[in-house]
Structures are given as structure tokens and as C-alpha cells.
Amino acid sequence: MTITVALIMAITMIVLLILGVPICIAIAISSILAGANALDFNMMLQTGAQRTFTGISVFTLIAIPFFILAGNIMNQGGIAIRLMNFARLLVGKIPGSYAHTNSMANMMFGAISGSGVAAASAMGTIIGPIAVKEGYSRNYMATVNIATAPTGLLIPPSNVLITYSLVSGGTSVAALFLAGYIPGILWGLSCMIVAYFWAKKIGYKGDSQKITAALALKVTLEAVPSLLLILIVIGGIVAGAFTATEGAIVAVVYSLILSICYRSITWKALVKIYADSAKMTGIIVLLIGVSSIMSWVISFVNIPSLVGEMLNGVSSNPIIILLIINIILLIVGTFLDTTPAILIFTPIFLPIAIQCGLSPVEFGIVITFNLCIGTITPPVGNILFVGVKVAQTTIERVIKPLIPFYIVIIAVLMLCTYVPQISSFIPELCGYEATLPK
């Protein structure tokens, strides 16, 4: 029965996606049809409705719309330009200075907004035109911007990690947030190394502008209020001063106050920001609700055990099993968005990853890392599309230059997979046990 249910679920969803059915509807239909093979159809419909409402009736879930709202406010509130100036102050003298500035700014802005798309859009719009005027290749800047924008999905706050926390059964959001720092920074730094050698080969120099102490102080002071958001939100969550949900609300209030102080946001823009945030929230919440049906069916018919047996049939070596999981997730990420992929594959692979020696926190970073790579690969990489759009170039022109970045990013992924202490070091240092939630 387990094999039959799994095949019905997989084939139905693939067919529906090929036909262009929205992902949330495809998940719901495939889950109900698969579950009806194990239960009475009417009972499955009732169970599906119950699981949908149960899946979205979680207090932690409230954090997602507020982090989305905070990210949208920051994107238009004058915060991005101040972070870009600060990043330029830090890395502007390195050959390929604008590329490194873009990378650093993506890491900082992504860490504050929690959105790779927002980072790619903001930094590509601000830094790209300036770099092109200075003689930089449009494709070079687009490639670096695309490659480094997903770091914001790993460096907290991250809506993806909050979603993983929910579907994994209550893994600590604070521990996941802390675990994302080193992998996210390694991703960004590895891309900066590639950008450096590319810049040396082409002949791009460092920033020739003389940095005076007064200018450095001015730029730093302008960036400090924005950077303080990371300390306030993440520090408050880790210290137990407030929950992830309360931290998200703090982020909204703080970013709104900053934007008003910077006089860079209007009432008309604010109305649009609220509307866009509401639409995005509705999509994510609906996905989480219908994915709860799929998670229940997967658990009810014990699909994780079936997948585990299949993987053990290939090899009993944890190294090989984790490699296969990574390959599957990398392929999935190329055609499935991050949130539904997290919701679908976490219940399947988490038990297997635990058997291979990874904790829920460590596996949360591995699956998120894999799916973040999918955001910069065709055919459906949303950051890839945004990056080429704001750079006014094409996907065909950036795919080849992206290959060296893909290689180093995947190398960092393998490092995080087989040296899980990279992810668990900071959480354990702060007193979080990397074990299953009780």
C-alpha cells in the first residue's frame, strides 16, 4: 500500500504541475487522491480539511507575515543604500570592488530582510548601474548579484527556516537562526573568492576613492541603525526576551521607524507594501495548510521508512545516503519553489537524516541550503529571474559565468553536510541542544 500511495501522490502532482496547475492545488489534490487509497474518500476529505486548519493554527506561523512585511519596508525604506555604502567601505579596495560590495551588501541586507529576492532587487538596482558606469560588465555584476542574494535565506531572520521549524515538528527557531550564520557567510565568502579571481583576470581594480576618517565614520554611523536590527531581533530571540513572532513584530516597527526617519517612504508606497505583503502571506499560508495534508499522508502510510529502505538498498553508508539526498534536493530545487519543497520533503528525509547522524537543526540547514541553490538555477529560479531583470540582461548570458559560482556553492554545501558542526557550533555555544524536539 505504501508504494501505491507514494506513486499516486508523485505521479498526480507531476502531471498537475506539467499542466500548469498552481502548486498549492496540485499538492492538495495529489495528497487527497493518494490518501483516499488508504482511507475512505469522504473520511480523507474530512481529514484533509482538519489537517489544513491544524497546519496553519500555529502561533510561530504568525512570524512569517511580519518578517515579509519588514523585508518589504526595508526594500523601499532607504536601508539598502546605507548598507551598500557600508559594504563598500569594508571591501571597496579589493579588485572587483563593486562585486564585493554587492556580495557584502546582499549578506547584510538579506540578513535583515530575510529575502533573497529583495536583496537581489535592491542591490542590483542600486549597485549595478553605478558599476556599469565605472566600466564593469553588466553580466559580471548580474552574476555576482544572483550568486550571493540567496545568503539572506540562510542568515537569519529567515522565513524558510521558520517554515522548516513548523514542518519538522517544532525544531527551535532560535537554534535554526543561529545555525544559519556560518553556512550563509561561507556561501557569500566563497562567491567573493570567485569574483576576486574573475576581476583579476579581467583587470577590474579596487575603489580609487580616498576614504577619510570622517567619511568612514559618517558611513558607519548611517549604517549602524540598520545593523542594530539584527542585534535587536536575533539577540532578543536567542536571549529569550521575546519569541520569533514577537521578534518579527519588532522588526516591522523598527524598520518602519527607520524608513520614516530617513524620509524615504510615502503613504502611497506603504499601502502597496501592505498589499504585496498580504498577498505573499496568503500564498505561503495556503501552501503550509495544504502541505499539512501531504505531510499527514506521508506519515500515515510510512513513506519515510520506504524511502529509507530504498536508500539502504543502494548503500548502508551514511556518506552515500546523504549524497543521494543532496542530489535529489538539488534536482527538486530547480523546478520547485523553496517553501513547498521544504513542506514536502522534510517529512520524508528528516528521519533518514537523523539515522545518518544529523540533528534536526543540522538537517534544516542542509535542506535549506540545497533549495536556496534552486533559487538561482533555471528553469524556475526566482532570484535568477529577478537578478537578470534588474541588470537588464538575459539568462543565457549569465548561466555560463554562474558555473564557477555553482561549483564553490555546492562545495560549501558538501562541507556543511559532512561537517555538521559548522551549523551546530553556534547553537551549541549558546546552549541549544541539537537534538530532536520533545
Side-chain angles (χ1 to χ4, degrees):
M1 182 183 69
T2 302
I3 296 176
T4 304
V5 171
L7 286 174
I8 292 173
M9 185 182 294
I11 293 171
T12 304
M13 189 161 71
I14 290 171
V15 170
L16 291 174
L17 290 175
I18 291 173
L19 293 174
V21 176
I23 180 66
C24 55
I25 297 176
I27 291 173
I29 293 175
S30 59
S31 301
I32 290 172
L33 290 179
N37 191 70
L39 295 174
D40 176 75
F41 184 75
N42 290 330
M43 184 180 294
M44 187 59 224
L45 285 177
Q46 293 176 6
T47 302
Q50 291 171 353
R51 297 307 305 180
T52 300
F53 283 101
T54 301
I56 61 177
S57 300
V58 182
F59 179 71
T60 308
L61 185 61
I62 303 174
I64 292 179
F66 284 107
F67 275 128
I68 290 173
L69 177 58
N72 287 338
I73 292 172
M74 293 171 202
N75 198 24
Q76 299 186 36
I79 293 174
I81 185 67
R82 287 163 176 81
L83 292 177
M84 185 274 285
N85 290 334
F86 183 65
R88 189 176 179 184
L89 177 67
L90 296 176
V91 295
K93 295 300 181 182
I94 305 174
S97 57
Y98 284 102
H100 301 303
T101 299
N102 197 328
S103 300
M104 287 289 293
N106 271 342
M107 284 191 277
M108 288 188 288
F109 186 75
I112 291 174
S113 69
S115 171
V117 171
S121 175
M123 297 309 159
T125 302
I126 295 170
I127 301 176
I130 300 173
V132 171
K133 286 182 180 179
E134 292 294 326
Y136 280 67
S137 162
R138 189 181 300 275
N139 295 331
Y140 172 72
M141 291 304 300
T143 302
V144 174
N145 185 37
I146 291 165
T148 56
T151 54
L153 298 173
L154 284 167
I155 302 174
S158 168
N159 290 330
V160 177
L161 292 176
I162 295 174
T163 303
Y164 171 83
S165 170
L166 295 173
V167 75
S168 65
T171 305
S172 168
V173 173
L176 287 167
F177 277 5
L178 291 171
Y181 274 112
I182 296 179
I185 292 171
L186 286 176
W187 177 324
L189 292 178
S190 67
C191 289
M192 289 176 68
I193 292 172
V194 175
Y196 171 81
F197 285 107
W198 190 359
K200 291 284 286 184
K201 182 179 178 180
I202 297 176
Y204 293 145
K205 306 295 183 182
D207 196 340
S208 59
Q209 180 184 5
K210 184 178 180 181
I211 306 297
T212 63
L215 178 61
L217 181 62
K218 178 179 180 292
V219 170
T220 302
L221 290 177
E222 287 181 346
V224 164
S226 301
L227 294 172
L228 276 176
L229 180 60
I230 302 174
L231 181 62
I232 293 170
V233 174
I234 306 303
I237 293 172
V238 172
F242 40 73
T243 64
T245 301
E246 293 162 346
I249 296 170
V250 170
V252 170
V253 174
Y254 189 90
S255 58
L256 186 56
I257 292 172
L258 274 186
S259 299
I260 293 172
C261 291
Y262 292 153
R263 297 182 180 179
S264 53
I265 198 167
T266 64
W267 286 110
K268 185 178 179 180
L270 196 57
V271 170
K272 187 177 185 302
I273 287 171
Y274 280 118
D276 291 343
S277 301
K279 291 176 185 177
M280 194 179 300
T281 298
I283 294 170
I284 293 175
V285 170
L286 180 59
L287 275 171
I288 291 173
V290 296
S291 295
S292 298
I293 309 173
M294 179 171 284
S295 298
W296 182 86
V297 174
I298 288 171
S299 176
F300 183 76
V301 299
N302 211 10
I303 290 178
S305 295
L306 173 64
V307 176
E309 290 173 6
M310 292 172 63
L311 290 176
N312 285 326
V314 176
S315 174
S316 59
N317 189 331
I319 295 175
I320 302 299
I321 293 174
L322 289 174
L323 178 61
I324 294 172
I325 291 174
N326 275 317
I327 292 172
I328 293 172
L329 290 172
L330 284 171
I331 295 171
V332 165
T334 62
F335 64 86
L336 200 60
D337 198 22
T338 308
T339 299
I342 286 279
L343 294 166
I344 294 169
F345 290 95
T346 297
I348 296 174
F349 288 135
L350 178 57
I352 301 169
I354 291 172
Q355 291 176 5
C356 292
L358 295 184
S359 72
V361 170
E362 292 160 350
F363 180 69
I365 299 304
V366 169
I367 189 172
T368 302
F369 203 121
N370 270 286
L371 299 174
C372 283
I373 295 174
T375 65
I376 58 173
T377 57
V380 294
N382 52 0
I383 292 177
L384 175 64
F385 290 124
V386 170
V388 297
K389 182 179 179 181
V390 297
Q392 299 177 5
T393 183
T394 64
I395 292 176
E396 292 79 11
R397 291 175 180 172
V398 300
I399 283 298
K400 186 177 179 180
L402 272 170
I403 292 175
F405 291 95
Y406 290 147
I407 292 172
V408 297
I409 291 168
I410 291 174
V412 175
L413 167 62
M414 294 297 109
L415 188 65
C416 293
T417 301
Y418 296 115
V419 188
Q421 292 79 10
I422 291 174
S423 302
S424 61
F425 174 72
I426 297 180
E428 291 179 353
L429 192 67
C430 294
Y432 290 93
E433 293 294 330
T435 56
L436 270 170
K438 298 180 180 179

